[in-house]
Amino acid sequence: GVTASGRRSQIAWKSYDPTLAHCNVTVWNPLGNGLSYEEYDFPIFSLKDDNDTQVIRQCYLNHNQAVNGSSPRYPLCAMQLYSHMSAVTDTATCMRRNDINFSISPEMVCDPLGDFNVWASTRPLNNTEKGHKMWEKVVIAAARLDSRSFFFDVAPGAESGASGFITLLAAAHALRNVTQEAQPNRTIFYTFFQGETFDYIGSSRMVYDMENNQFTVDLDNVHSVLEIGQVGLHGESRLWLHSDPVSRRNSSVNEEVRKLIENLQSAAAGLGFTVGEAGFSQPLPPSSFQRFLRARQIPGVVIENHQLNFTNRYYESMYDNAEYLNVSYPPNLTPEEQLKFVTDTAKALTEVATMVARALYVQAGGAENQQDNINADRQIVSQMLYGFLVRSNNSWFQQLIPSDLTSHLSKLILNYTSSEPTLLVQYLLANLTGSAINITQENCQNQREDENDKESKHMFTYMWVQGAAPPNNTKREGFCVRSTVRLSRAVSPAFELRDYTSKDYSTWTESRWKSIKGRIFLVASHELEMLTLGVGVGVLLASLLLTYIISSKADILFSSGREPT
Amino acid sequence: MTAAVFFGCTFIAFGPAIALFLFTIAREPLRVIFLIAGAFFWLVSLLLSSLVWFISVQISNKDSAAQQKGLLIFGVVLSVLLQETFRFAYYKLLKKANEGLLALSQEETMPISIRQLALRYMSGLGFGFMSGAFSVVNILADSVGPGTVGIHGDSQHYFLSSAFMTMAIILLHMFWGVVFFDACEKQRWWAVAAVVISHLLVSCLTFQNPDYVASLIPTYVILFLMGVWAFYSAGGSLRNLKLCLTCKDKDFLLANHRSR
């Protein structure tokens, strides 16, 4: 695991509050060793395919194993790994090298990290008009989508990422009906941020856009923030509500935070766990909410499963997977049966989602007596856990996505480079918060309800998904989903401002690479090689000498054959 | 196996040939031309035998190992016979060219004649250069890499033994050229047959690989014997050798000169 990227990305604590700066008060991830942030000048590969590792092991056993205590003899098995990365030193250097344009096709050496945030609102908002929306007050419910590990393609992030956004998705689904029938006076904004692992790319970009009137709402519209952090319960059944002590020194902010905490605590009543308030003396844990606080002191709460430091032993490690979260299935189940099976983890997360949904509803101004109608669906939660942590190519996900994306569903990838989780969350959120409407595929794909409709595309998004196949048929019946789900660009503002050494925004870039491969072969001893060279040189010199002698004495040696002159 | 092995094997394979080229051929342009013409003739023979080989492989049964092995033997024998045929063709060509060269030349004496040792051994060396190049160049190219042969169980002395075999082949071609041309001049057809048979023998010895000892040692024995035969047919004798070695050559020259 890695140290929580807290040091760099905590709110500029020095100016905010010097006593809380530089993790003086709390070290969030004491088990982390910062391995991913070290620089290595040799390639490190992780092999999962048994066939490849068998070949390597066989070569070792055949040639490199010491027999009876003596050291192994040449030729020995060796392996050569290629993992050429074009970028060097740091972002400023590689971005400068990108701009060098001597040839017709300039070679890029690195790219800024970027993806999309997914967001949706309970009340449709005009997305084409950016900036402040009059009379709109918005409660932001946030979660992060991504995680990372030491190896780029094995980053399940079960507890650090998936537990959070799955809970939020389930809460959004639980709120769908009640926000249509008894609409609260504030709008709830579900936001899923991408790139949070790398110094909060997604949330910093959204705040930047809000500040520059490039987003559907702006910071004046934001009433409060509720963020769902790591909420996987490992049997303790206790969640903690963290808030920012510095902003709470302002009495009006403090009042709002207190009300939010009360909402959460009353929403948790009757559910299978307790919520406690984390201490006033400690700072906010690393979270997307901090980016909002940097811009403005907004009341907000972060829900975590730890009070002081993380309980997640595998934060940002490849071992933070389904097994760690106890998502396990009885043996001998088919994939379909596993999809339908409700695990205990799913039950626990469903309770958390129910609490979040109820608290959000009351926070948005809804009536408290509606709370008992708001319940998260444990089947949905279980299916989401299966899809994101075990196998994403399952029948439920297949129904939710358009037909041209089916080939993209592959085994679990949950990290910054792949936009597959972004896409999946986008379509899931549409399915869970939107509704199916009866319009033609052509209209649907052109973002309109009929030929003359020009207004709907500002308020809604229409997606044509492939749906399920009816029992007697193999052809799927597609349908149109109308929702308020949108994508917003998640590229760090540092790259917009071209400030590659920015201290305020993330400046992470990814190097470009040549083909990554390895090969094994035998290596001969150095002595044999030098012997070969020596013999060669000897043969050459000897033949030069001999030829010189013979050719100078050729007259005599071959005299009897010469014709008479 | 790195640059050390690359250079070592190159020097082993081409060392004698380079030495011969440097000291005896490089100075005279006409000799270079004959060398290259010889190489070209060998190349044409290889082209023809490859064509036959390619066609026969295509129409054969690719799955049967026995058939493939038989086809390989057939290919080798055919190639040897074609090479010798082309050697004979080169001989005929040079014979015809003799008179033409005489007419062209401005010197009074014949600049070069088929009876001269130089011509005979140059054609052989031309064959040898080309044959050596085709045998060993791709092996040398692979030897530059970091690894060596053996991960599938083959012997790690592959590079070395290929280089030695190539050296033997080059020298053998040179000796065969001398013997062959001499035999054709003197109409000794049994000598021609002996050359062909020894060529076949050396080529078939390579089927003993990867038992490199069994293939290299007989080859070198044949090389020595052919060398001795070539020495004699080129006009050498034991007496000349003794004279040379004991450095009594100066007196001999003077004596010889006077007696004429």
Side-chain angles (χ1 to χ4, degrees), chain A residues 125-317:
Chain A
L125 296 171
N126 191 332
N127 191 41
T128 322
E129 287 173 11
K130 311 278 187 194
H132 186 76
K133 290 267 189 311
M134 292 291 282
W135 314 122
E136 269 301 328
K137 276 288 176 196
V138 158
V139 175
I140 295 185
R144 71 153 68 166
L145 273 181
D146 65 328
S147 174
R148 73 166 298 182
S149 77
F150 192 68
F151 297 106
F152 83 100
D153 56 351
V154 189
E159 184 171 331
S160 56
S163 63
F165 75 75
I166 290 180
T167 307
L168 187 56
L169 281 169
H173 176 68
L175 281 171
R176 170 166 66 180
N177 289 340
V178 74
T179 47
Q180 300 297 334
E181 294 155 5
Q183 212 167 57
N185 53 3
R186 297 187 196 113
T187 309
I188 304 176
F189 232 67
Y190 306 108
T191 39
F192 297 87
F193 293 115
Q194 263 284 15
E196 299 302 275
T197 327
F198 288 94
D199 290 344
Y200 304 103
I201 298 176
S203 50
S204 63
R205 181 55 184 260
M206 185 175 275
V207 172
Y208 177 80
D209 284 344
M210 282 183 182
E211 284 176 321
N212 293 312
N213 293 329
Q214 291 295 316
F215 193 67
T216 314
V217 295
D218 77 351
L219 286 169
D220 291 325
N221 289 122
V222 177
H223 173 262
S224 49
V225 174
L226 176 64
E227 182 172 342
I228 308 178
Q230 305 178 67
V231 290
L233 290 165
H234 291 279
E236 307 91 33
S237 304
R238 196 170 167 83
L239 287 180
W240 298 92
L241 306 175
H242 294 256
S243 56
D244 171 41
V246 180
S247 62
R248 284 180 79 176
R249 290 183 197 150
N250 177 326
S251 57
S252 58
V253 170
N254 188 35
E255 198 43 46
E256 289 295 333
V257 173
R258 222 183 32 79
K259 275 195 229 166
L260 181 51
I261 292 179
E262 267 172 27
N263 285 340
L264 282 162
Q265 283 174 329
S266 68
L271 298 173
F273 57 91
T274 52
V275 282
E277 199 181 328
F280 212 69
S281 57
Q282 66 172 39
L284 202 60
S287 52
S288 315
F289 177 41
Q290 290 186 5
R291 287 284 160 172
F292 287 87
L293 283 174
R294 269 199 197 199
R296 191 165 306 189
Q297 294 197 344
I298 301 173
V301 163
V302 178
I303 309 177
E304 301 269 7
N305 61 3
H306 57 89
Q307 184 185 14
L308 290 170
N309 29 38
F310 290 174
T311 55
N312 185 355
R313 286 170 53 218
Y314 297 121
Y315 183 68
E316 285 182 4
S317 159

Side-chain angles (χ1 to χ4, degrees), chain A residues 264-531:
Chain A
L264 282 162
Q265 283 174 329
S266 68
L271 298 173
F273 57 91
T274 52
V275 282
E277 199 181 328
F280 212 69
S281 57
Q282 66 172 39
L284 202 60
S287 52
S288 315
F289 177 41
Q290 290 186 5
R291 287 284 160 172
F292 287 87
L293 283 174
R294 269 199 197 199
R296 191 165 306 189
Q297 294 197 344
I298 301 173
V301 163
V302 178
I303 309 177
E304 301 269 7
N305 61 3
H306 57 89
Q307 184 185 14
L308 290 170
N309 29 38
F310 290 174
T311 55
N312 185 355
R313 286 170 53 218
Y314 297 121
Y315 183 68
E316 285 182 4
S317 159
M318 61 185 190
Y319 297 110
D320 187 7
N321 52 14
E323 202 184 308
Y324 184 59
L325 212 50
N326 266 336
V327 173
S328 60
Y329 298 91
N332 301 332
L333 285 185
T334 65
E336 253 331 284
E337 288 166 1
Q338 281 182 340
L339 179 67
K340 298 279 184 262
F341 183 81
V342 177
T343 53
D344 290 335
T345 316
K347 290 179 195 165
L349 275 185
T350 312
E351 310 252 288
V352 180
T354 305
M355 173 192 82
V356 168
R358 290 178 183 176
L360 274 175
Y361 185 67
V362 173
Q363 181 71 6
E368 294 206 11
N369 51 15
Q370 291 281 353
Q371 278 190 64
D372 291 331
N373 296 338
I374 302 170
N375 287 303
D377 182 351
R378 55 169 61 161
Q379 184 69 43
I380 299 262
V381 171
S382 192
Q383 286 178 210
M384 284 198 284
L385 277 172
Y386 180 76
F388 283 107
L389 295 178
V390 180
R391 177 203 291 261
S392 58
N393 190 3
N394 59 56
S395 61
W396 186 48
F397 280 6
Q398 292 271 1
Q399 291 176 26
L400 302 175
I401 58 175
S403 49
D404 50 353
L405 288 177
T406 43
S407 55
H408 288 215
L409 284 182
S410 54
K411 210 178 180 293
L412 55 125
I413 305 178
L414 195 83
N415 63 8
Y416 67 92
T417 53
S418 167
S419 54
E420 188 200 281
T422 312
L423 283 172
L424 278 176
V425 167
Q426 178 190 15
Y427 288 104
L428 258 179
L429 191 60
N431 179 282
L432 295 174
T433 59
S435 47
I437 56 170
N438 193 1
I439 59 175
T440 63
Q441 182 174 1
E442 198 197 322
N443 280 337
C444 185
Q445 283 169 337
N446 286 330
Q447 303 294 311
R448 60 183 189 209
E449 301 216 4
D450 55 52
E451 274 79 28
N452 303 321
D453 179 14
K454 298 222 186 331
E455 299 306 315
S456 299
K457 63 174 189 266
H458 302 303
M459 311 293 274
F460 294 105
T461 312
Y462 297 87
M463 298 171 195
W464 184 265
V465 299
Q466 63 175 9
N472 295 337
N473 210 351
T474 48
K475 198 160 179 317
R476 290 176 182 270
E477 287 176 351
F479 59 95
C480 191
V481 175
R482 183 181 72 179
S483 63
T484 55
V485 173
R486 304 240 176 219
L487 295 176
S488 90
R489 209 146 171 66
V491 177
S492 171
F495 295 100
E496 302 288 314
L497 301 167
R498 300 195 135 238
D499 177 11
Y500 305 130
T501 50
S502 166
K503 295 267 183 293
D504 297 322
Y505 298 112
S506 162
T507 51
W508 283 97
T509 48
E510 185 196 2
S511 166
R512 292 216 179 174
W513 63 76
K514 303 270 161 66
S515 89
I516 296 180
K517 55 186 181 180
R519 55 182 183 175
I520 52 174
F521 43 81
L522 292 188
V523 166
S525 68
H526 198 58
E527 287 83 24
L528 185 60
E529 296 178 7
M530 286 303 136
L531 182 69

